[in-house]
Amino acid sequence: MIPKLLLVPLAVACSLTLLYLIVLNAPHGGGELSFPSSLEHIRVLATVLNTYNMSNPRYVLLLFSSSYLFKQTFAVPGSVFLNVLAGAIFGAGGGFLLCCVLTALGASFCYLLARAVGKEVALHYFPVRVEKFRVRLEENRQELPFFLLFLRLFPMSPNWALNMASGVLGVPLHLFFLSVFFGLMPYNYLCVTSGVILSEIREVGDILSWSNMARCATIAVAALLPTLLLRGRRQAKVRQPEAKECED
């Protein structure tokens, strides 16, 4: 188990080295570049990166994408700040599409890393979460696409845990990727569009407000409806032969 577990720090070290080399090659030294941790920090970074973007847009895209993938792959908190920053740099349309793609790619890398590390390691460190998710997957095996989409749309779902558990339990990668891509669209849209009006945002609570979370929850419930309808139809078909037997 230990050799497999060493893959995680090795992957982290390689990714950090790559990020460091990218920052070293910033147009003006990169002294102001770091992961954003507050709205004020985002404003500073947006000013710097927009300046870089005018002369070297490929570098800005590479830097942002690498940073985003690092956070998603290793479940580092703070994706909300990068989503807001994307809106401030790339605009609503470009930032939204970019964040959706990077979210799905980064989650898939996390999935693959968890699969490489193995089920034994996951069960050792997260036994309760993995077992709960396994039971729910079995219960919803017939409606798996709708179920996975619901989990992503629901705002309170722990995405890092879903990424790891999906890799360990063998959720099909194509379904996993699509559920992340489409399921996190509402969340990404809220954050990215907030970045476009960054000057009007005072705190993170303005973005992740209860009203916005309620909207995401409503969309999640709508996504779950096909699962409930299909399950109801399947149970009705099972009951029909039983009812005929009772009549006979």
Side-chain angles (χ1 to χ4, degrees), residues 211-235:
S211 60
N212 285 338
M213 292 300 100
R215 292 189 188 100
C216 291
T218 302
I219 298 171
V221 172
L224 188 62
L225 285 177
T227 300
L228 299 176
L229 292 172
L230 289 172
R231 185 178 296 178
R233 288 183 62 184
R234 192 168 64 251
Q235 290 175 349

mmCIF file of all heavy atoms in Angstrom, residues 211-235:
data_model
loop_
_atom_site.group_PDB
_atom_site.id
_atom_site.type_symbol
_atom_site.label_atom_id
_atom_site.label_comp_id
_atom_site.label_asym_id
_atom_site.label_seq_id
_atom_site.Cartn_x
_atom_site.Cartn_y
_atom_site.Cartn_z
ATOM 1 N N SER A 211 -29.567 32.259 -1.726
ATOM 2 C CA SER A 211 -30.482 32.280 -2.877
ATOM 3 C C SER A 211 -29.860 31.588 -4.082
ATOM 4 O O SER A 211 -30.528 30.822 -4.792
ATOM 5 C CB SER A 211 -30.854 33.722 -3.233
ATOM 6 O OG SER A 211 -29.704 34.474 -3.571
ATOM 7 N N ASN A 212 -28.559 31.813 -4.306
ATOM 8 C CA ASN A 212 -27.883 31.150 -5.422
ATOM 9 C C ASN A 212 -27.760 29.647 -5.184
ATOM 10 O O ASN A 212 -27.923 28.840 -6.104
ATOM 11 C CB ASN A 212 -26.490 31.754 -5.630
ATOM 12 C CG ASN A 212 -26.539 33.114 -6.298
ATOM 13 O OD1 ASN A 212 -27.513 33.450 -6.963
ATOM 14 N ND2 ASN A 212 -25.503 33.913 -6.110
ATOM 15 N N MET A 213 -27.467 29.255 -3.924
ATOM 16 C CA MET A 213 -27.386 27.836 -3.610
ATOM 17 C C MET A 213 -28.747 27.164 -3.758
ATOM 18 O O MET A 213 -28.850 26.003 -4.169
ATOM 19 C CB MET A 213 -26.861 27.647 -2.177
ATOM 20 C CG MET A 213 -25.396 28.063 -1.981
ATOM 21 S SD MET A 213 -24.232 27.147 -3.021
ATOM 22 C CE MET A 213 -23.937 28.335 -4.340
ATOM 23 N N ALA A 214 -29.811 27.899 -3.426
ATOM 24 C CA ALA A 214 -31.165 27.356 -3.578
ATOM 25 C C ALA A 214 -31.473 27.097 -5.045
ATOM 26 O O ALA A 214 -32.123 26.105 -5.398
ATOM 27 C CB ALA A 214 -32.184 28.320 -2.979
ATOM 28 N N ARG A 215 -31.008 27.989 -5.926
ATOM 29 C CA ARG A 215 -31.216 27.791 -7.366
ATOM 30 C C ARG A 215 -30.507 26.521 -7.834
ATOM 31 O O ARG A 215 -31.052 25.742 -8.622
ATOM 32 C CB ARG A 215 -30.700 28.996 -8.152
ATOM 33 C CG ARG A 215 -31.508 30.274 -7.938
ATOM 34 C CD ARG A 215 -31.078 31.364 -8.914
ATOM 35 N NE ARG A 215 -31.709 32.632 -8.602
ATOM 36 C CZ ARG A 215 -31.131 33.623 -7.945
ATOM 37 N NH1 ARG A 215 -29.868 33.494 -7.534
ATOM 38 N NH2 ARG A 215 -31.774 34.748 -7.696
ATOM 39 N N CYS A 216 -29.281 26.328 -7.368
ATOM 40 C CA CYS A 216 -28.534 25.120 -7.741
ATOM 41 C C CYS A 216 -29.232 23.862 -7.224
ATOM 42 O O CYS A 216 -29.301 22.836 -7.910
ATOM 43 C CB CYS A 216 -27.105 25.178 -7.186
ATOM 44 S SG CYS A 216 -26.058 26.437 -7.968
ATOM 45 N N ALA A 217 -29.759 23.935 -5.989
ATOM 46 C CA ALA A 217 -30.460 22.792 -5.409
ATOM 47 C C ALA A 217 -31.722 22.469 -6.208
ATOM 48 O O ALA A 217 -32.060 21.300 -6.411
ATOM 49 C CB ALA A 217 -30.817 23.086 -3.954
ATOM 50 N N THR A 218 -32.414 23.497 -6.667
ATOM 51 C CA THR A 218 -33.619 23.294 -7.476
ATOM 52 C C THR A 218 -33.284 22.582 -8.780
ATOM 53 O O THR A 218 -33.990 21.658 -9.208
ATOM 54 C CB THR A 218 -34.295 24.647 -7.787
ATOM 55 O OG1 THR A 218 -34.615 25.300 -6.560
ATOM 56 C CG2 THR A 218 -35.565 24.436 -8.602
ATOM 57 N N ILE A 219 -32.191 23.000 -9.416
ATOM 58 C CA ILE A 219 -31.750 22.339 -10.657
ATOM 59 C C ILE A 219 -31.380 20.885 -10.366
ATOM 60 O O ILE A 219 -31.669 19.982 -11.163
ATOM 61 C CB ILE A 219 -30.559 23.086 -11.272
ATOM 62 C CG1 ILE A 219 -30.964 24.511 -11.652
ATOM 63 C CG2 ILE A 219 -30.019 22.350 -12.501
ATOM 64 C CD1 ILE A 219 -29.807 25.394 -12.079
ATOM 65 N N ALA A 220 -30.757 20.633 -9.209
ATOM 66 C CA ALA A 220 -30.363 19.272 -8.830
ATOM 67 C C ALA A 220 -31.589 18.382 -8.673
ATOM 68 O O ALA A 220 -31.605 17.225 -9.115
ATOM 69 C CB ALA A 220 -29.554 19.303 -7.528
ATOM 70 N N VAL A 221 -32.625 18.903 -8.035
ATOM 71 C CA VAL A 221 -33.862 18.132 -7.859
ATOM 72 C C VAL A 221 -34.492 17.818 -9.210
ATOM 73 O O VAL A 221 -34.974 16.706 -9.451
ATOM 74 C CB VAL A 221 -34.857 18.896 -6.963
ATOM 75 C CG1 VAL A 221 -36.208 18.198 -6.939
ATOM 76 C CG2 VAL A 221 -34.305 19.016 -5.553
ATOM 77 N N ALA A 222 -34.459 18.792 -10.120
ATOM 78 C CA ALA A 222 -34.993 18.568 -11.466
ATOM 79 C C ALA A 222 -34.224 17.458 -12.180
ATOM 80 O O ALA A 222 -34.811 16.633 -12.896
ATOM 81 C CB ALA A 222 -34.933 19.857 -12.276
ATOM 82 N N ALA A 223 -32.902 17.426 -11.979
ATOM 83 C CA ALA A 223 -32.082 16.382 -12.609
ATOM 84 C C ALA A 223 -32.379 15.010 -12.015
ATOM 85 O O ALA A 223 -32.208 13.986 -12.677
ATOM 86 C CB ALA A 223 -30.597 16.707 -12.443
ATOM 87 N N LEU A 224 -32.825 14.981 -10.755
ATOM 88 C CA LEU A 224 -33.116 13.709 -10.085
ATOM 89 C C LEU A 224 -34.475 13.143 -10.493
ATOM 90 O O LEU A 224 -34.710 11.945 -10.350
ATOM 91 C CB LEU A 224 -33.081 13.905 -8.563
ATOM 92 C CG LEU A 224 -33.177 12.651 -7.684
ATOM 93 C CD1 LEU A 224 -31.998 11.730 -7.952
ATOM 94 C CD2 LEU A 224 -33.222 13.034 -6.208
ATOM 95 N N LEU A 225 -35.360 13.964 -11.022
ATOM 96 C CA LEU A 225 -36.710 13.519 -11.369
ATOM 97 C C LEU A 225 -36.717 12.333 -12.339
ATOM 98 O O LEU A 225 -37.476 11.372 -12.139
ATOM 99 C CB LEU A 225 -37.522 14.685 -11.941
ATOM 100 C CG LEU A 225 -38.021 15.719 -10.919
ATOM 101 C CD1 LEU A 225 -38.747 16.854 -11.637
ATOM 102 C CD2 LEU A 225 -38.933 15.064 -9.889
ATOM 103 N N PRO A 226 -35.893 12.349 -13.422
ATOM 104 C CA PRO A 226 -35.894 11.172 -14.310
ATOM 105 C C PRO A 226 -35.527 9.887 -13.580
ATOM 106 O O PRO A 226 -36.073 8.827 -13.874
ATOM 107 C CB PRO A 226 -34.832 11.531 -15.370
ATOM 108 C CG PRO A 226 -34.811 13.026 -15.370
ATOM 109 C CD PRO A 226 -35.053 13.434 -13.943
ATOM 110 N N THR A 227 -34.588 9.966 -12.620
ATOM 111 C CA THR A 227 -34.208 8.795 -11.837
ATOM 112 C C THR A 227 -35.397 8.264 -11.056
ATOM 113 O O THR A 227 -35.668 7.054 -11.029
ATOM 114 C CB THR A 227 -33.061 9.151 -10.871
ATOM 115 O OG1 THR A 227 -31.940 9.591 -11.634
ATOM 116 C CG2 THR A 227 -32.646 7.939 -10.040
ATOM 117 N N LEU A 228 -36.135 9.154 -10.393
ATOM 118 C CA LEU A 228 -37.284 8.750 -9.593
ATOM 119 C C LEU A 228 -38.386 8.165 -10.466
ATOM 120 O O LEU A 228 -39.025 7.175 -10.096
ATOM 121 C CB LEU A 228 -37.807 9.952 -8.804
ATOM 122 C CG LEU A 228 -36.827 10.578 -7.804
ATOM 123 C CD1 LEU A 228 -37.430 11.824 -7.165
ATOM 124 C CD2 LEU A 228 -36.444 9.569 -6.734
ATOM 125 N N LEU A 229 -38.606 8.767 -11.643
ATOM 126 C CA LEU A 229 -39.647 8.267 -12.547
ATOM 127 C C LEU A 229 -39.297 6.882 -13.082
ATOM 128 O O LEU A 229 -40.146 5.984 -13.125
ATOM 129 C CB LEU A 229 -39.843 9.248 -13.707
ATOM 130 C CG LEU A 229 -40.456 10.604 -13.338
ATOM 131 C CD1 LEU A 229 -40.417 11.550 -14.549
ATOM 132 C CD2 LEU A 229 -41.894 10.430 -12.850
ATOM 133 N N LEU A 230 -38.036 6.703 -13.489
ATOM 134 C CA LEU A 230 -37.616 5.399 -13.996
ATOM 135 C C LEU A 230 -37.696 4.327 -12.916
ATOM 136 O O LEU A 230 -38.101 3.192 -13.181
ATOM 137 C CB LEU A 230 -36.185 5.489 -14.542
ATOM 138 C CG LEU A 230 -36.014 6.265 -15.857
ATOM 139 C CD1 LEU A 230 -34.536 6.442 -16.173
ATOM 140 C CD2 LEU A 230 -36.714 5.551 -16.999
ATOM 141 N N ARG A 231 -37.299 4.690 -11.702
ATOM 142 C CA ARG A 231 -37.365 3.737 -10.603
ATOM 143 C C ARG A 231 -38.819 3.367 -10.301
ATOM 144 O O ARG A 231 -39.141 2.203 -10.034
ATOM 145 C CB ARG A 231 -36.697 4.315 -9.347
ATOM 146 C CG ARG A 231 -36.620 3.318 -8.204
ATOM 147 C CD ARG A 231 -35.920 3.912 -7.008
ATOM 148 N NE ARG A 231 -34.540 4.221 -7.300
ATOM 149 C CZ ARG A 231 -33.713 4.797 -6.429
ATOM 150 N NH1 ARG A 231 -34.156 5.150 -5.234
ATOM 151 N NH2 ARG A 231 -32.464 5.036 -6.758
ATOM 152 N N GLY A 232 -39.698 4.381 -10.346
ATOM 153 C CA GLY A 232 -41.113 4.118 -10.101
ATOM 154 C C GLY A 232 -41.703 3.191 -11.143
ATOM 155 O O GLY A 232 -42.474 2.278 -10.811
ATOM 156 N N ARG A 233 -41.346 3.388 -12.413
ATOM 157 C CA ARG A 233 -41.850 2.522 -13.475
ATOM 158 C C ARG A 233 -41.332 1.104 -13.307
ATOM 159 O O ARG A 233 -42.056 0.134 -13.526
ATOM 160 C CB ARG A 233 -41.426 3.071 -14.839
ATOM 161 C CG ARG A 233 -42.156 4.338 -15.257
ATOM 162 C CD ARG A 233 -41.731 4.780 -16.632
ATOM 163 N NE ARG A 233 -42.067 3.777 -17.637
ATOM 164 C CZ ARG A 233 -41.740 3.878 -18.925
ATOM 165 N NH1 ARG A 233 -41.050 4.937 -19.348
ATOM 166 N NH2 ARG A 233 -42.076 2.936 -19.788
ATOM 167 N N ARG A 234 -40.067 0.961 -12.924
ATOM 168 C CA ARG A 234 -39.493 -0.363 -12.743
ATOM 169 C C ARG A 234 -40.169 -1.108 -11.591
ATOM 170 O O ARG A 234 -40.460 -2.309 -11.680
ATOM 171 C CB ARG A 234 -37.988 -0.235 -12.484
ATOM 172 C CG ARG A 234 -37.259 -1.569 -12.564
ATOM 173 C CD ARG A 234 -35.754 -1.408 -12.595
ATOM 174 N NE ARG A 234 -35.234 -0.825 -11.381
ATOM 175 C CZ ARG A 234 -34.742 0.393 -11.304
ATOM 176 N NH1 ARG A 234 -34.711 1.160 -12.378
ATOM 177 N NH2 ARG A 234 -34.275 0.867 -10.170
ATOM 178 N N GLN A 235 -40.434 -0.393 -10.493
ATOM 179 C CA GLN A 235 -41.112 -1.014 -9.357
ATOM 180 C C GLN A 235 -42.545 -1.394 -9.714
ATOM 181 O O GLN A 235 -43.068 -2.416 -9.257
ATOM 182 C CB GLN A 235 -41.091 -0.059 -8.158
ATOM 183 C CG GLN A 235 -39.701 0.122 -7.565
ATOM 184 C CD GLN A 235 -39.682 1.158 -6.460
ATOM 185 O OE1 GLN A 235 -40.650 1.886 -6.256
ATOM 186 N NE2 GLN A 235 -38.565 1.222 -5.735
#
